[in-house]
Amino acid sequence: MASSITSLGVASGNDFSSIVEQLVTLKKQSVTRNTTKRYNANTIELSGVASLKSALSTFQSTVTAFTDNRDSVFNSKKVTTTQSADANIFTVETKDDASNADFQLGVVQLAKSQKLNQKFSTDDGFKNSFEAGSLTFDLGKDENGKDRSFSVDVQDGDTLESIRKRINQNDYGVTASLVKTSSGYSLSLDTGITGDDATPISITASGKGGDGKDSLSMFEASGNAGSDGKIGSWSQLQKAQDAIITVDGEQVHSSSNTFDDEQVAGLKITVNQLSEAATDNDSDVVTTADNKQVKTYNVKVATDADSTADKIMSFVNGYNTLMTSLDKLSKSNTYTDGESNEDGGDLAGDSSVTGLKRQLQSMISGFSDSQDGLTIFDMGIKFNKDGTLSFTRSEFNEALENNPNAVSTLFNDKDKGLFSKLDSYLDDYTETSGILDQRTDNLTKEKKRIEEQQTRDSETIEKYQTQLTKQYSNLDTMMSNYSSSLSSLSSVLSSLSSSSSK
């Protein structure tokens, strides 16, 4: 179409193409002015609603950090011990239901697994070439009553090295290690199962015989070690045993080196090594299984007010950030000579944003529940004149120390706590198909209608341009014909005038 416009006026010599272009531009401005304005407004509003949902969701995440952890968020504990800074004798972790405690802890025995060793001496005729067959390792039943056993196939002529590798491919934690010595080999087995109740390993051999080969029977073992420490051809280097700690002098056992809250309520204690040997200056000591005196260490579990205060501070900061975002989104446009400068927020003057901000402020400032005579405003929370919150850590720490249950109830009670009410209110806006999703859906549908109208507008403009082009093309042809006729007439008249004068 553009080439047709630019060719207008060529015949008559008039600039009809510029006239058509100007008329089309004016028509386009007239037709699209409203849809363009609606489209731009729709795009800005869609962006504003997305920003609003993001801001609310971010703030809600600071709220759900409390509501999703009701049992622990106001029960943060700090553990201190008197073991030296470079010691790694034990670690203490708190569970959600941990309570404040103060006790002496000693580590008198570590959990161990059964270990066996066997020497294979070439001086005794050992060839390190075994008969074909299989070895079955039985570790008894697990805590669920399931058998723990596996078998290792031995090929004719296999060596200790190859058998060791196959043993280590089991799924039960049994490990085999091999050392080559000047006189032969030393093979060690570790069952990997700790605790007094661990079943001693049983090894049975099923050999098929082999001319001149070592018999698999030398691997067999069954039951407990005798007085000589032997189980078959094996020497028992270590039997399985419990870990033992003392808590204020009372022994506590665990089949592993971890003492969970089944043994010490609310705590998880992991032991890494025995307590240090006691000295004459140590007043709190205990005796190990081999009658050695070792130290005990003081363990204190106390409310960690600073950790909880940090979480409240994150809520205050999150709230203030949200207020700033709402103010920015709803900031009104300024005007010059009655024309908007379009310098406001994406939701400029939106009453729903203003209402949302007012409601959140009201929910906090109007929160009237009390517990033991206290309100949340006795716990360091204050409203500033600009609508933001401030937080005084010392006031909160004092309230938490004196009334921990009241603090937890007021902020985080499942039904009446401030955070529960805020979380429920925010859900209406942030959840899938919530208020903001519905608004987004409506805006998206409106955008589609505007785009359809823009398509119709383009068709209207194209038809108008085609019509103008045709009209001015006809005019161009007509004027060109008039000009040609006039030129011919002028030539005839000039010829007649010349003949008359002669």
Side-chain angles (χ1 to χ4, degrees), residues 310-453:
D310 287 342
K311 295 170 186 175
I312 296 295
M313 190 70 223
S314 70
F315 162 74
V316 170
N317 290 337
Y319 176 84
N320 292 340
T321 298
L322 174 63
M323 291 299 107
T324 299
S325 297
L326 296 183
D327 287 340
K328 183 178 179 181
L329 282 171
S330 60
K331 178 185 175 183
S332 298
N333 295 313
T334 60
Y335 290 81
T336 301
D337 297 331
E339 290 291 328
S340 173
N341 296 314
E342 301 298 334
D343 54 355
D346 286 351
L347 298 175
D350 194 308
S351 60
S352 64
V353 179
T354 305
L356 175 61
K357 178 180 176 182
R358 187 182 301 114
Q359 180 63 23
L360 288 170
Q361 290 174 336
S362 176
M363 289 181 71
I364 297 176
S365 64
F367 188 75
S368 59
D369 280 10
S370 63
Q371 188 79 12
D372 295 339
L374 297 174
T375 72
I376 62 168
F377 303 105
D378 297 314
M379 301 172 186
I381 299 285
K382 295 291 186 296
F383 258 106
N384 302 317
K385 291 182 178 180
D386 61 358
T388 59
L389 292 175
S390 60
F391 177 63
T392 305
R393 181 181 291 265
S394 60
E395 291 182 14
F396 177 82
N397 287 353
E398 181 180 356
L400 185 63
E401 181 178 356
N402 296 331
N403 298 279
N405 291 331
V407 173
S408 177
T409 299
L410 285 172
F411 279 108
N412 218 27
D413 182 79
K414 182 178 180 181
D415 299 315
K416 300 185 297 181
L418 174 63
F419 293 141
S420 295
K421 293 181 180 296
L422 286 172
D423 190 23
S424 178
Y425 177 72
L426 291 168
D427 265 345
D428 291 339
Y429 287 87
T430 61
E431 66 183 356
T432 302
S433 300
I435 292 173
L436 294 182
D437 275 4
Q438 292 177 23
R439 183 171 178 179
T440 298
D441 288 343
N442 291 333
L443 286 169
T444 302
K445 291 176 182 177
E446 175 64 18
K447 185 174 188 176
K448 184 177 180 180
R449 288 193 290 269
I450 295 172
E451 289 172 341
E452 290 172 349
Q453 181 60 52

Side-chain angles (χ1 to χ4, degrees), residues 15 17-18 122 125 156 232 272 314 325 397 473 477 494:
D15 189 10
S17 61
S18 294
T122 54
D156 188 52
N272 305 305
S314 70
S325 297
N397 287 353
S473 178
T477 301
S494 177

Side-chain angles (χ1 to χ4, degrees), residues 73-282:
V73 70
F74 283 96
N75 192 35
S76 295
K77 300 296 181 183
K78 178 170 58 178
V79 178
T80 57
T81 75
T82 55
Q83 61 180 324
S84 58
D86 57 349
N88 186 30
I89 298 166
F90 60 87
T91 58
V92 180
E93 301 173 55
T94 60
K95 300 292 187 70
D96 290 346
D97 60 343
S99 56
N100 291 350
D102 188 340
F103 57 89
Q104 291 295 124
L105 179 115
V107 182
V108 298
Q109 181 172 289
L110 295 178
K112 294 180 180 179
S113 55
Q114 183 186 27
K115 289 184 180 179
L116 304 179
N117 176 265
Q118 184 174 175
K119 302 290 192 301
F120 297 85
S121 175
T122 54
D123 293 338
D124 296 333
F126 174 68
K127 303 178 182 62
N128 197 14
S129 177
F130 288 90
E131 63 179 333
S134 66
L135 297 172
T136 300
F137 298 79
D138 189 348
L139 301 166
K141 297 183 182 297
D142 62 16
E143 60 274 11
N144 298 316
K146 184 178 180 181
D147 288 333
R148 289 181 292 194
S149 65
F150 64 95
S151 295
V152 171
D153 291 328
V154 180
Q155 306 298 321
D156 188 52
D158 273 351
T159 64
L160 278 173
E161 291 90 339
S162 58
I163 292 174
R164 178 194 67 84
K165 291 179 182 178
R166 294 200 188 105
I167 292 173
N168 287 332
Q169 292 173 359
N170 71 90
D171 297 324
Y172 298 99
V174 177
T175 56
S177 58
L178 184 66
V179 177
K180 188 174 183 180
T181 68
S182 59
S183 61
Y185 294 87
S186 175
L187 178 67
S188 296
L189 283 179
D190 189 331
T191 65
I193 302 173
T194 59
D196 290 347
D197 295 331
T199 302
I201 192 169
S202 173
I203 308 172
T204 56
S206 175
K208 298 179 180 179
D211 186 28
K213 301 293 193 303
D214 291 317
S215 172
L216 293 178
S217 62
M218 62 180 64
F219 288 99
E220 290 187 330
S222 179
N224 294 304
S227 59
D228 60 354
K230 289 284 190 177
I231 306 176
S233 300
W234 298 89
S235 296
Q236 181 168 271
L237 302 179
Q238 174 180 289
K239 70 174 183 178
Q241 65 182 32
D242 284 350
I244 304 175
I245 62 173
T246 61
V247 177
D248 285 340
E250 297 294 329
Q251 283 196 357
V252 181
H253 286 243
S254 172
S255 61
S256 72
N257 286 318
T258 298
F259 295 77
D260 219 326
D261 56 6
E262 291 182 2
Q263 292 96 0
V264 185
L267 300 179
K268 176 183 177 182
I269 301 173
T270 303
V271 296
N272 305 305
Q273 59 190 44
L274 297 179
S275 294
E276 298 166 290
T279 66
D280 293 338
N281 296 324
D282 293 320

Side-chain angles (χ1 to χ4, degrees), residues 44-56 329 347 436 440 443:
I44 292 172
E45 188 174 353
L46 270 171
S47 174
V49 172
S51 297
L52 176 58
K53 184 175 181 179
S54 176
L56 290 175
L329 282 171
L347 298 175
L436 294 182
T440 298
L443 286 169

